[in-house]
Amino acid sequence: MTEWRDRLSAQERERLARQPHPDWTAPMLATLTDERFRDPDWLFERKLDGERALCFRDGDRIRLLTRNRKDIVETYPEIIDALAGQACRDFVIDGEIVAFEQGRTSFSRLQQRMGISDPQEARDSGVAVYFYLFDILHLDGYSLDDLALRTRKSLLRQVLRFEDPLRYTPHRNGDGEAFFDEACSRGWEGLIAKNAARGYRHSRSRDWLKFKCDRRQELVIGGFTAPKGTRKGFGALLVGYYEGDSLRYAGKVGTGFNEAFLTDFRRQLDGQVRKTAPFDDPVDEADATFVTPDIVGEFGFTEWTQDGKLRHPRFLGLRRDKEAGDVVRETPEGS
């Protein structure tokens, strides 16, 4: 299946590089920014609230990995079935796995699938998932890294068949300001702005920018407080982020949990208990219990306070696709 090369210009064919099927390749990551702009050389995609995933197909072998290389094949068997049914047998594609609730992508709903490791249980869960594909990095023995994004997206549409649960990620050209306003009014998480002429870089880059409608932050869970009154499980989570080798305390989060999570996650936390605080800052909580800081959660909030704490934080879900040591305070460039 190499006829796709014939549709490229001579200059584009020169940018192709012969490459054996990769065992792993790091995903390109967007930089958070407060910029909002329009530019005909950029395209704008909806920022999806899900789990980033890379699919590697090498003949009959299909692997689905998170951005920190966790194998999630058994969690999403219907996606694997759809990928196995493709005529193309040598590719690496990049995308986001999502679940919907009331027409919006819902990370909380996706959480109901993320904890499942049995394929039949996943199929029977009642949580429908979709794999939104937005890039292709390797195809039929060639690296596509040096091709322009517009060309890569065109190839993605040509070589794959898009039927649920596989979906192509649409984009708009040029006017990111108007699209951002629309995205926020529709309750989306935000947009990803991408320089359409640039290649794929396996690191964080300013060629991809994140426009967020609300503020979110991945944080490390380093402890919890005791429940009060009729509440079960725990009262609040104690969270932080890394600044160099120091785990900085970012405050406590006591909202966003349902009763089942409070009970189930308390059992997990009890297996992580330690005697000393993992934070390098003082924690002024008399009833605090500290845990080994290796679990990452995602939290919404209104702003950072002057002393480095979250204001009005709420729990959104656990993240298994990021290592605790990689969690830093995410500050928009230019702010």
Side-chain angles (χ1 to χ4, degrees):
M1 187 177 179
T2 57
E3 62 271 14
W4 57 269
R5 283 186 292 153
D6 298 332
R7 303 190 188 105
L8 300 178
S9 68
Q11 185 179 38
E12 287 171 332
R13 287 196 294 272
E14 289 178 0
R15 292 179 180 173
L16 295 174
R18 275 286 188 184
Q19 179 190 53
H21 189 88
D23 181 64
W24 168 251
T25 187
M28 187 166 178
L29 302 175
T31 299
L32 181 64
T33 181
D34 281 332
E35 297 177 44
R36 308 287 181 260
F37 60 86
R38 61 181 68 195
D39 190 319
D41 294 329
W42 286 68
L43 58 83
F44 301 86
E45 297 173 347
R46 178 179 179 178
K47 189 178 189 305
L48 297 164
D49 191 10
E51 183 169 35
R52 183 80 174 272
L54 295 169
C55 176
F56 298 77
R57 180 172 184 182
D58 184 12
D60 292 332
R61 185 187 184 209
I62 299 177
R63 294 174 297 133
L64 192 63
L65 303 175
T66 67
R67 63 181 180 179
N68 58 343
R69 304 186 70 168
K70 286 186 169 62
D71 184 340
I72 51 175
V73 165
E74 294 183 340
T75 303
Y76 304 113
E78 66 271 64
I79 291 176
I80 301 303
D81 291 345
L83 293 166
Q86 299 293 323
C88 184
R89 295 171 58 82
D90 179 15
F91 57 76
V92 179
I93 50 179
D94 192 357
E96 189 99 356
I97 298 171
V98 303
F100 285 92
E101 191 164 27
Q102 297 181 342
R104 300 174 183 172
T105 56
S106 170
F107 186 69
S108 296
R109 183 162 176 77
L110 186 65
Q111 287 266 297
Q112 299 173 42
R113 285 292 295 270
M114 291 172 65
I116 298 175
S117 58
D118 176 79
Q120 191 57 52
E121 183 183 351
R123 294 182 193 275
D124 295 340
S125 68
V127 179
V129 294
Y130 304 90
F131 193 12
Y132 276 81
L133 305 178
F134 48 71
D135 218 323
I136 183 165
L137 322 180
H138 172 95
L139 180 59
D140 291 336
Y142 289 91
S143 167
L144 309 184
D145 284 355
D146 290 335
L147 294 179
L149 173 60
R150 286 197 194 279
T151 303
R152 299 197 310 273
K153 291 200 72 171
S154 176
L155 288 173
L156 179 65
R157 295 206 73 167
Q158 290 176 39
V159 302
L160 294 185
R161 185 179 71 256
F162 287 93
E163 298 174 353
D164 283 345
L166 301 184
R167 294 182 176 181
Y168 176 79
T169 304
H171 62 266
R172 291 193 190 177
N173 297 305
D175 193 351
E177 294 167 312
F179 194 21
F180 178 73
D181 290 341
E182 179 184 334
C184 296
S185 69
R186 297 176 68 175
W188 295 356
E189 186 181 350
L191 299 180
I192 301 292
K194 297 180 177 180
N195 190 322
R198 297 297 179 88
Y200 192 96
R201 301 295 171 252
H202 300 273
S203 61
R204 195 170 299 279
S205 170
R206 280 195 57 82
D207 287 337
W208 288 12
L209 300 173
K210 289 186 283 190
F211 299 176
K212 287 192 175 183
C213 293
D214 62 357
R215 306 198 74 173
R216 295 187 177 206
Q217 172 75 53
E218 293 163 339
L219 293 164
V220 179
I221 297 168
F224 61 94
T225 63
K228 296 180 181 179
T230 60
R231 183 154 175 161
K232 299 178 181 179
F234 58 87
L237 295 177
L238 309 178
V239 298
Y241 59 89
Y242 278 97
E243 192 174 81
D245 294 329
S246 298
L247 183 60
R248 307 302 305 272
Y249 181 54
K252 62 180 180 179
V253 183
T255 62
F257 315 107
N258 60 38
E259 189 168 320
F261 181 85
L262 286 167
T263 302
D264 293 343
F265 194 52
R266 173 60 189 267
R267 286 195 288 266
Q268 185 176 350
L269 291 172
D270 284 342
Q272 304 278 109
V273 170
R274 54 183 277 169
K275 293 181 179 179
T276 58
F279 303 103
D280 289 273
D281 302 306
V283 177
D284 186 19
E285 296 292 340
D287 60 349
T289 299
F290 297 109
V291 299
T292 302
D294 58 8
I295 302 174
V296 178
E298 185 169 358
F299 302 85
F301 65 105
T302 57
E303 63 181 348
W304 288 98
T305 65
Q306 289 187 343
D307 60 349
K309 305 295 190 299
L310 302 175
R311 188 183 298 279
H312 306 306
R314 65 193 184 281
F315 175 75
L316 299 175
L318 297 176
R319 305 257 17 161
R320 66 177 176 186
D321 55 351
K322 188 160 188 176
E323 300 296 336
D326 295 332
V327 173
V328 298
R329 177 171 167 176
E330 196 171 26
T331 304
E333 292 194 356
S335 65

